[in-house]
Amino acid sequence: MYIKRLKQKAMLLIVLAGFLILLIMPARDSREEEPPQEGEQLVIPEEEEEYTAVPEEVWEMPGADAKIRVLILAEDGGIHHADKELAREYPGELQYFEEEAGWVIVNEVPLEEYLCRVVPSEMPSAYAKEALKAQAVCARTYAVWQMREYAYPEYEAHVNDSVSYQVYNQIESQETTSQAVAATEGQIMLWEDGPVKAYYFATSCGSTTDENIWEKGDRKQTPYIAGRRIGTSENDHDLTDEETFSSFIRKKHEGDLEISEPWYRWNCYVSLDQIRQNVATWAKARAQRSEEGILLKEGDSFVHQEVDSIGEIQKAEIQLRNTGGAVQELLLTGSDGTMKVTYEYNIRLMLGVPGGEIHKNDGSISEGGNLLPSGYFVMEPVEEEGTLTGYQIYGGGLGHGAGMSQNGAKVLAEEGYGYDEILQYFYHEIRLARLE
């Protein structure tokens, strides 16, 4: 009996001791993760491999190691420099031509190095990768197209470094843009048996046009640059019709790719006196460069003349629109004559608002320049005490509006489009090839 009680007491002491141990042990935090089971491994997802198209077709002229010759313009926009010193460093080789008016400087540079300083000068380096790659292919294609002949044969220069061709070396090469050039190395766009005219511009109004906006443009030769609606909005409206276009440009359309971009819509005021000043500044110079751009009325016809005034401006009227709604002809009536202005660049000059205010889509205000932001606009007469004083202009887009919209490309890239898909979106039925 004694032994039995002793065993019971011993068991009781063991139970009490176990209970005390449990009380003094630290409680386990319920948030603590369970340790991995034997055989399990922590898997770190690999970064998705960057997509790059691999064109099968080869284009041989120029070769992959081609060099482009770029005439460097002086600060005043002319070709002559006061001396041989340049404000920026340039890759490749600089060649100097001494003339009575000053130095002409040409930069001979490998094509791919040239592009590394064109792409960041033409498109913000912070844009999505696929947009930058699309820009690189556009810039390379445009350069190859220009390299078929010399723009400045006396200096054997294919292009200059300005917006007349492609902006070059205004911004130094950037990591993201150089990566885009490298990722698409040698790739260009072809249509039928040659490189395309890879025009591009900043922002669309929701519509693009064809190259008939320029005097030497011929839409029959470049069907890959055709007017189209940019986005998912309805495409069946004839924007060459004045009433239809007026309704279009005064509204924002939910399906437009660039509806959130600052230059998607804008408006400004241009006075009759400002138009008179624009005519005095630009008409004669543009007539010298354009056979059909500046025409004066003689009897029932309009003829080419170099003139810098038609007197006080009495009226301005849009006469014709090109594909997509870009203004093609503008009629200016003055006290001393009537002038027909044709093609988008000339028209934008005659309605420019240097020093004026341009109210943009995002509510901000920009200072106007010599050029109206685009050729996509309508004009509403403004009167004071019953007398016409000028026009309120309602417009959209920034740039000429033919080819690829750079901000449209940005939006498409953000939506997941590859650069080859972006190019196919803006250039009809083109194909990619590679230089060899």
Side-chain angles (χ1 to χ4, degrees):
M1 176 68 86
Y2 174 77
I3 293 174
K4 184 177 180 180
R5 287 180 178 175
L6 187 60
K7 289 181 177 180
Q8 289 176 341
K9 289 180 179 180
M11 288 296 295
L12 182 60
L13 289 171
I14 291 171
V15 170
L16 290 171
F19 181 72
L20 289 171
I21 290 171
L22 287 173
L23 287 175
I24 63 176
M25 284 181 64
R28 182 179 178 185
D29 191 336
S30 62
R31 294 171 297 175
E32 185 178 28
E33 294 181 358
E34 290 290 336
Q37 299 298 313
E38 185 177 354
E40 291 184 344
Q41 295 182 352
L42 181 62
V43 178
I44 301 175
E46 295 182 2
E47 185 176 343
E48 185 178 346
E49 186 176 348
E50 184 175 344
Y51 166 75
T52 300
V54 183
E56 295 182 359
E57 190 170 354
V58 171
W59 183 258
E60 295 182 352
M61 292 294 291
D65 59 350
K67 294 182 180 180
I68 187 170
R69 293 174 58 83
V70 187
L71 187 142
I72 309 301
L73 295 181
E75 290 184 5
D76 63 0
I79 68 171
H80 292 101
H81 298 254
D83 54 53
K84 296 168 68 174
E85 296 298 321
L86 294 173
R88 301 180 181 88
E89 293 185 359
Y90 287 82
E93 178 185 354
L94 291 174
Q95 297 179 1
Y96 304 91
F97 300 83
E98 187 175 10
E99 298 181 346
E100 184 176 349
W103 292 93
V104 177
I105 305 176
V106 174
N107 183 202
E108 184 174 77
V109 57
L111 179 57
E112 298 299 313
E113 288 189 44
Y114 166 76
L115 295 172
C116 285
R117 300 193 183 209
V118 167
V119 177
S121 298
E122 289 282 4
M123 177 179 277
S125 60
Y127 276 18
K129 285 183 181 180
E130 298 303 304
L132 294 174
K133 288 154 73 173
Q135 177 66 58
V137 176
C138 283
R140 186 182 294 108
T141 305
Y142 185 81
V144 168
W145 187 80
Q146 292 289 345
M147 289 169 70
R148 298 177 308 167
E149 59 185 39
Y150 295 119
Y152 300 89
E154 61 272 42
Y155 311 112
E156 295 186 347
H158 301 105
V159 295
N160 67 39
D161 61 349
S162 77
V163 293
S164 296
Y165 296 91
Q166 296 188 111
V167 180
Y168 167 60
N169 206 31
Q170 294 301 305
I171 296 179
E172 294 182 356
S173 57
Q174 304 291 309
E175 182 177 0
T176 53
T177 50
S178 293
Q179 287 173 350
V181 172
T184 62
E185 183 177 0
Q187 294 187 19
I188 63 171
M189 290 182 285
L190 300 182
W191 184 79
E192 289 194 342
D193 58 353
V196 310
K197 295 180 182 179
Y199 298 121
Y200 52 88
F201 63 99
T203 305
S204 85
C205 67
S207 175
T208 63
T209 190
D210 57 51
E211 73 160 352
N212 275 27
I213 53 171
W214 297 302
E215 185 166 358
K216 297 181 179 180
D218 183 355
R219 65 168 68 100
K220 294 179 181 179
Q221 300 298 318
T222 56
Y224 47 84
I225 301 176
R228 65 160 297 165
R229 290 285 278 111
I230 303 301
T232 60
S233 299
E234 295 181 21
N235 296 309
D236 59 350
H237 297 306
D238 179 11
L239 296 180
T240 64
D241 176 74
E242 192 65 28
E243 185 176 345
T244 302
F245 183 81
S246 179
S247 176
F248 165 79
I249 202 67
R250 291 171 184 267
K251 299 176 183 176
K252 299 181 183 181
H253 306 276
E254 186 175 350
D256 287 354
L257 278 184
E258 292 151 283
I259 190 171
S260 298
E261 292 296 324
W263 287 104
Y264 169 73
R265 290 288 180 270
W266 49 264
N267 69 85
C268 63
Y269 172 74
V270 59
S271 67
L272 295 182
D273 187 60
Q274 181 63 64
I275 298 175
R276 179 190 61 77
Q277 293 179 47
N278 294 342
V279 170
T281 302
W282 300 110
K284 186 174 182 178
R286 295 308 300 171
Q288 291 173 346
R289 299 187 61 176
S290 173
E291 294 181 3
E292 299 178 0
I294 306 295
L295 304 173
L296 287 184
K297 189 173 184 180
E298 285 191 0
D300 295 331
S301 302
F302 285 90
V303 298
H304 176 261
Q305 284 192 31
E306 295 180 12
V307 63
D308 56 12
S309 176
I310 54 173
E312 297 299 321
I313 303 299
Q314 298 171 339
K315 191 176 183 180
E317 301 173 89
I318 294 170
Q319 297 286 294
L320 182 68
R321 293 188 182 276
N322 192 40
T323 304
V327 178
Q328 189 78 352
E329 290 184 5
L330 177 73
L331 195 67
L332 299 178
T333 302
S335 57
D336 297 336
T338 300
M339 176 182 292
K340 181 188 289 186
V341 184
T342 60
Y343 307 115
E344 66 90 30
Y345 188 83
N346 295 331
I347 292 167
R348 291 166 64 193
L349 278 175
M350 296 308 159
L351 297 177
V353 286
E357 291 186 347
I358 299 180
H359 298 256
K360 298 192 293 186
N361 187 48
D362 61 355
S364 63
I365 299 175
S366 286
E367 182 177 330
N370 292 328
L371 280 174
L372 206 62
S374 82
Y376 299 82
F377 62 86
V378 293
M379 305 172 67
E380 186 175 285
V382 175
E383 296 183 351
E384 292 182 9
E385 299 180 355
T387 301
L388 180 69
T389 58
Y391 293 89
Q392 189 68 27
I393 299 180
Y394 297 93
L398 179 64
H400 53 67
M404 185 183 78
S405 165
Q406 293 168 305
N407 281 313
K410 178 194 73 171
V411 175
L412 288 174
E414 292 170 348
E415 291 181 354
Y417 282 65
Y419 73 95
D420 53 336
E421 295 173 310
I422 294 172
L423 296 172
Q424 289 286 351
Y425 186 94
F426 288 104
Y427 304 97
H428 298 248
E429 297 181 351
I430 55 90
R431 62 192 189 276
L432 288 179
R434 68 183 188 279
L435 301 179
E436 189 171 278

